[in-house]
Amino acid sequence: MSEARGRLRNGDTRAAFLFLSPWLVGFLLWTAYPVVYTAYLSLTDYDVINDPTFVGTENYREMLTDDKVTLALGNTAIYAVLSVPFQLGVSLALALLLQRAGRARGLFRTAFFLPKMTPPVAIGVLVLLLLNGQSGLLNESLSWVGIDGPNWTTDPPWVKPGLALMSLWTIGAEIIILLAALENVPRELWEAARVDGASWWGRFRHVTLPMISGPLYFLALVDTIAAFQSFTEAYTAYFGAGNSTYGNDAALFYVIYVFQQAFEFLHMGYAAALAMLLFLVVLVVTAGQSALTRRYVFYYGDQR
Amino acid sequence: MRGSVLTAGLLLLGLTAACAQGTGDEETPDASFDSEAQLTGTLDAMGFGETDEVATARLEEAKKALGDVEVKLIEGELDVQQFLSSVAAGDPPAILYAERDQVGTFASRGAIVPLDECIDGEGIDTDVFDDAALEQVTFEDEVYGIPEFSVVQLTMANRDLLDQAGLAIEDVNGSSWESITEANEELARQDGKKVSVIGYDSKLPEFLPLWAKANGADLISEDGRTAQLDDPAVVEALEWAVDIYDAQGGFGSVKAFRDQADFFGDGNQFATGTLGAMPMEQWYVNVLNEVSPDAPLAFDTVRDRSGETIAWTSGSAWAIPKGSPNPEAACRFAKVMTQTSSWEAAADARLAERKGGESIFTGILTGNDEADEAVRAKVEPSGDEVWDSAVEAMYEASENTFALPANPAGAEFEAAWQDAVNRVLNGQEEPEQALQKAQEEAQKVLDEAWARWDE
């Protein structure tokens, strides 16, 4: 009997692996292998043309003395701190509005999602147009209320806030996810709170927020990782097609620096070491977020 | 997209590394170059596009000379990563079309081969090439590229604005920096805090080498080994060029204003009277002639502080990759594409195209002095003094060029000085401090790159 069960289990395991195999092959080939190989390359001097030469920890030691690593990490962290709460806050506010939009909800939902379809390179160019210090839409709008806006695209202190502002262009997906989460909040909880005399803010704070904390946590996590990997928009606006020679240190995000070292200067070994550091940083930040938010996130299925 | 960039980068890194191993030491097959030899096979050309009649006419000449060889173009701007990966994988294109300032980097890494045998075998006359162009593709006394095209700078100005301010083109051609500073103040206009007319645009960061040369300094030594970014003459040039922006409300305001201009359209800065003067590459003459032929323009060369014409030249070059599958055909292709008769055919094609439209033929700067002369002979005076003066200035500039010499750290060296200028423009550092830092960075990358080469 137990032998038959064992055979059955083996058969099940084989079937399971068979079904999983497309993903497993993809994972091993497209994720695990490049990561492991990058770790190896980070210990070499490699310029694409000639074979990698093992240099031990030299690349990592060089990173310690490279001012641009600190600058790029700092820029990226500041951008993440600015953009993630901003994106979540605005997404949630718009999702709340959409929830009350009645029959027009479908139309607005599509309208909010449409900008998400814009190619990131086009968003990079839009940064230069909308945030133009002389005639950009943002400064024009600010001037209507008597505010003399800064040169968002050249004043170093305003470059990252400008990019964080532009990150709102693609919050369509966040809005849709949060709208779905809001729709899932049981009506009876709201009704009970209302009967108990809770204000709108009280109901939002004590009913809605806990009930959508799962999706919020998920979005905070993926948005943070995306912020640390942010590249295309800032590269286009400050280092690529938008400005082939003009650049601004304030927009030097970490992945841009990795790209420059790898593909412009052909320091592939050093770039691999930089990429490994980013991998670790994202891992630590994500673990930190996970630990910090565990006590604030509510799961329906949680039996504790 | 953001995530996929990193993943794709890592993946590419891994895959190219894997491919590189075992193939990195592959030798270039022995090639025998002979101008009389019958050639066969295929010729893949990477980085070159048949974008206009000048390309098409020369390509036709090359195809004729190659006989049975099938020419295939891998069009689009050169993707350095794609090229290097193909060399590492042992599957490079037969010939490469690159910017001349990339040649030193490719040569130092062994991605392209010296062309001495090709030049001898095919009988390419290197004496006809512009000295500065040839210097850019010569690395450690060996020629690695066959140059073509030259870009030079001219002074371009709005004649009406100059007249209104009582100025002449000579006041803004660079022969006197003090005059430009004064002219800038006369020409610039502001509407409240906003720029409404740029007086003079010193075109930073890209033209620092031009201003440094105008002040008697080179950014890098002749042998390409020593950075000279902290030379007092370079510092002075940067200070002056930045002051031009500061006098107009700062670089940020000027850049924001110039970013909104319709640079390639009939609403360009000269046509709309929103720019007094600037140094600019000669190809912009064609743009202006096409989109705003009636704009009130004035042209001259850019001059150094003693009044002599100078131009910082750059351009393209043909190179043969290591492991090229058809080096003999590549060599002949490079020869024919850059020889005088092909340029003449190209000039005839452009002339015919221009006669069909309303634009004038302003000549072509080929990187080949003999061809320049032959093409110039085909340029007929347009009867319009302004455009004829532009052509005149262009040819004068082409005879007074300088180039940054080839070195194995071209991209890093350029990044060092451009970053320094940008830090100054962004108000983060003073010119002297920025260039001092850039000097250290640039010398470090040059030392490292040369050390690898000298090993």
Side-chain angles (χ1 to χ4, degrees), chain A residues 8 10 35 39 72 100 168 193 202 215 234 236 283:
Chain A
L8 189 67
N10 282 343
V35 170
R100 301 160 76 95
L168 293 182
T236 310
L283 200 69

Side-chain angles (χ1 to χ4, degrees), chain B residues 51-63:
Chain B
T51 49
D52 59 12
E53 63 286 347
V54 172
T56 305
R58 290 186 303 133
L59 202 57
E60 286 307 315
E61 295 289 312
K63 283 177 181 171

Side-chain angles (χ1 to χ4, degrees), chain B residues 39 61 88-89 101 149 206 235 252 254 290 308 330 333 341 393 434 443:
Chain B
L39 302 174
E61 295 289 312
D101 59 10
F149 285 119
E206 58 264 42
V235 176
V254 175
E290 272 175 36
E308 298 299 321
F333 183 84
S341 59
Q443 196 55 56

Side-chain angles (χ1 to χ4, degrees), chain B residues 152-191:
Chain B
V152 297
Q153 300 78 31
L154 306 180
T155 298
M156 304 185 189
N158 184 306
R159 199 180 57 242
D160 284 356
L161 291 181
L162 290 180
D163 288 347
Q164 284 162 22
L167 298 165
I169 186 77
E170 290 74 23
D171 294 309
V172 289
N173 67 5
S175 52
S176 163
W177 286 3
E178 295 72 22
S179 295
I180 290 185
T181 302
E182 283 167 22
N184 180 45
E185 281 167 21
E186 291 287 328
L187 295 165
R189 295 277 178 277
Q190 290 196 309
D191 181 10

Side-chain angles (χ1 to χ4, degrees), chain A residues 264-275:
Chain A
E264 290 179 12
F265 307 152
L266 306 175
H267 299 156
M268 288 288 177
Y270 188 54
L274 290 170

Side-chain angles (χ1 to χ4, degrees), chain A residues 11 14 20 28-29 40 57 108 125 135 164 176 185 191 242 253 283:
Chain A
R14 266 201 301 277
L20 283 173
L28 289 173
L29 197 63
Y40 160 65
T57 55
F108 283 114
V125 177
S135 60
I176 304 294
V185 177
E191 292 305 324
F253 290 159
L283 200 69

Side-chain angles (χ1 to χ4, degrees), chain B residues 7 25 30 50 73 77 90 108 115 150 186 199 203 209 224 244 252 257 266 296 309 364 389 418:
Chain B
T7 312
D25 295 330
D30 284 337
E50 199 178 342
L73 301 182
E77 200 176 326
S108 70
L115 300 180
S150 276
E186 291 287 328
K203 297 293 276 184
I244 291 290
F257 184 68
D266 57 7
T309 292
I364 305 168
S389 73
Q418 284 188 354

